[in-house]
């Protein structure tokens, strides 16, 4: 494979051996692989998304009830490649459009946790079967959180907010305009998340090359590992694609799969900057309940994966 050859050429040219060679090879190979996949997938999905602007997303979700609305919100969350903070403007528009509370909370939980780019990269890290389990688990957590918050009556903690006019008349773009829009979106997204990917792969490379396997198996693989992974993951603010290489290295060193996926989910779905932005539209009771329900779901999934896999 070309990426493998390039990575080998780099470490050979630098004359590296042992742990430094393994670390640099990992860094070059994974960076090239992830960035190439990102460019292709984000542009392709960005082009398709020109047919589904936020106004249409809100229209599709309006009037949907029960399981249909929750499932549709989860699917739309997957094809929205945003971090937890940039998801919020669409969430605000959904609330302003009168879409059911539980449905909007499902979208808010699923969108940063699962996206199409991550689903393309993950099979090379944990395999196709675990990637599908990750996707199903993320959807289940989002739907359950939205349903529980709705049934518990937390809708009353939405703040009064000027959401603007949701009835936007948008002209149908031409194919050239769609291509330009997809290119601009892909360029913006790649520029935004590239530093996270490079740093994430770098951290993964350090773990891969220098961290002894015994440290991971002795200190991170115990029964409290999942709880610790979620507790550590929440304060970290990064894109899910930046944390995938770190999880890849940790799993390779012996970290249980459930603990690794729980860490990845918590980093992507919950963050302190996200909570600060949500204060504009949510009272602290709802923010705390949202964080608790999503975190609880992640812990349950992590423990279940560790038990079964």
């Amino acid at each position: 494979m070309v990426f493998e050859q390039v990575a080998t050429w780099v470490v050979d040219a630098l004359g590296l051996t042992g742990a430094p060679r393994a670390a640099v090879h990992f860094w070059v190979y994974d960076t090239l692989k992830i960035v190439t996949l990102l460019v292709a997938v984000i542009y392709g999905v960005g082009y398709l998304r020109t047919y589904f602007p936020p106004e249409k997303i809100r229209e599709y979700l309006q009037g949907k009830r029960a399981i249909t609305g929750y499932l549709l919100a989860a699917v739309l969350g997957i094809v929205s490649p945003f971090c937890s903070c940039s998801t919020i403007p669409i969430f605000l528009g959904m609330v302003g459009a009168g879409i059911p509370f539980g449905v909007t909370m499902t979208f808010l939980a699923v969108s940063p946790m699962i996206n199409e780019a991550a689903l393309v990269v993950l099979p090379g890290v944990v395999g196709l079967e675990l990637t599908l389990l990750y996707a199903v688990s993320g959807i289940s957590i989002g739907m359950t959180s939205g349903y529980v918050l709705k049934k518990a009556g937390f809708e009353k903690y939405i703040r009064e907010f000027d959401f603007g006019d949701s009835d936007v008349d948008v002209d149908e773009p031409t194919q050239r305009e769609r291509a330009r829009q997809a290119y601009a979106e892909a360029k913006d997204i790649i520029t935004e998340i590239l530093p996270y990917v490079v740093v994430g792969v770098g951290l993964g490379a350090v773990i891969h090359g220098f961290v002894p396997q015994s440290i991971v198996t002795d200190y991170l693989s115990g029964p409290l590992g999942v709880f610790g992974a979620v507790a550590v993951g929440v304060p970290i603010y990064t894109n899910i694609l930046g944390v995938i290489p770190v999880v890849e290295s940790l799993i390779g060193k012996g970290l249980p799969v459930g603990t690794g996926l729980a860490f990845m989910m918590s980093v992507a779905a919950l963050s302190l900057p996200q909570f600060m932005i949500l204060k504009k539209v949510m009272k602290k009771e709802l923010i705390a309940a949202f964080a608790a329900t999503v975190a609880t779901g992640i812990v349950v999934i992590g423990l279940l994966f560790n038990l079964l896999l």
Side-chain angles (χ1 to χ4, degrees):
M1 189 175 182
V2 176
F3 301 151
E4 178 75 26
Q5 294 173 346
V6 171
T8 301
W9 179 85
V10 170
V11 295
D12 286 343
L14 294 174
L16 298 175
T17 59
R21 180 183 179 90
V24 173
H25 189 281
F26 181 97
W27 184 78
V28 174
Y29 175 80
D30 268 42
T31 299
L32 291 174
K33 177 181 68 174
I34 292 175
V35 171
T36 301
L37 287 171
L38 286 180
V39 172
V41 173
I42 291 178
Y43 176 82
V45 175
Y47 184 85
L48 293 177
R49 197 164 38 249
T50 61
Y51 292 91
F52 302 97
E55 295 77 22
K56 285 189 177 181
I57 291 177
R58 294 198 295 265
E59 289 175 6
Y60 286 133
L61 289 175
Q62 280 178 314
K64 299 296 187 299
R65 296 182 179 180
I67 191 68
T68 302
Y70 286 96
L71 277 174
L72 187 54
V75 171
L76 291 173
I78 292 174
V79 296
S80 300
F82 306 105
C83 66
S84 58
C85 290
S86 54
T87 296
I88 294 175
I90 294 181
F91 165 76
L92 296 179
M94 290 179 175
V95 175
I99 294 170
F101 171 73
V103 173
T104 60
M105 298 305 294
T106 295
F107 176 87
L108 183 65
V110 173
S111 183
M113 196 180 341
I114 310 173
N115 62 50
E116 73 283 353
L119 294 181
V120 170
V121 173
L122 268 177
V125 177
V126 297
L128 180 59
E129 182 179 351
L130 285 180
T131 299
L132 293 176
L133 288 174
Y134 176 84
V136 172
S137 299
I139 291 172
S140 300
I141 291 171
M143 293 177 61
T144 302
S145 298
Y147 179 80
V148 168
L149 291 172
K150 172 68 175 178
K151 287 298 183 181
F154 278 93
E155 187 172 3
K156 63 185 177 183
Y157 294 111
I158 291 285
R159 293 183 183 275
E160 293 293 332
F161 191 86
D162 182 10
F163 296 100
D165 186 7
S166 62
D167 297 325
V168 181
D169 184 16
V170 180
D171 293 333
E172 190 73 13
T174 65
Q175 296 301 316
R176 180 173 296 181
E177 289 171 339
R178 293 185 192 279
R180 282 200 298 262
Q181 183 178 331
Y183 170 80
E185 179 179 315
K187 181 181 178 181
D188 289 343
I189 293 175
I190 292 295
T191 302
E192 177 185 349
I193 68 176
L194 185 59
Y196 294 115
V197 172
V198 174
V199 172
V201 175
L203 291 174
V206 170
I207 295 170
H208 179 79
F210 294 97
V211 175
Q213 183 172 344
S214 59
I215 291 180
V216 176
T217 56
D218 292 346
Y219 295 100
L220 301 178
S221 300
L224 298 179
V226 173
F227 295 92
V230 174
V232 171
V234 171
I236 299 175
Y237 176 56
T238 186
N239 187 279
I240 187 173
L241 293 163
V243 78
I244 286 176
V246 178
V247 173
E248 177 184 11
S249 292
L250 289 171
I251 291 177
K253 291 288 184 177
L255 184 72
V257 172
T259 304
L261 294 183
F263 175 70
M264 186 163 57
M265 283 182 168
S266 62
V267 168
L270 302 169
S271 70
L272 295 180
Q274 173 195 26
F275 299 153
M276 296 301 294
I277 297 175
L278 284 175
K279 286 179 65 177
K280 296 179 181 179
V281 68
M282 293 182 184
K283 296 181 181 179
K284 59 183 180 181
E285 293 87 350
L286 177 53
I287 295 175
F290 172 73
T293 53
V294 173
T296 299
I298 292 173
V299 168
V300 171
I301 291 297
L303 293 173
L304 187 61
F305 274 29
N306 283 347
L307 180 64
L308 298 178
L309 299 178

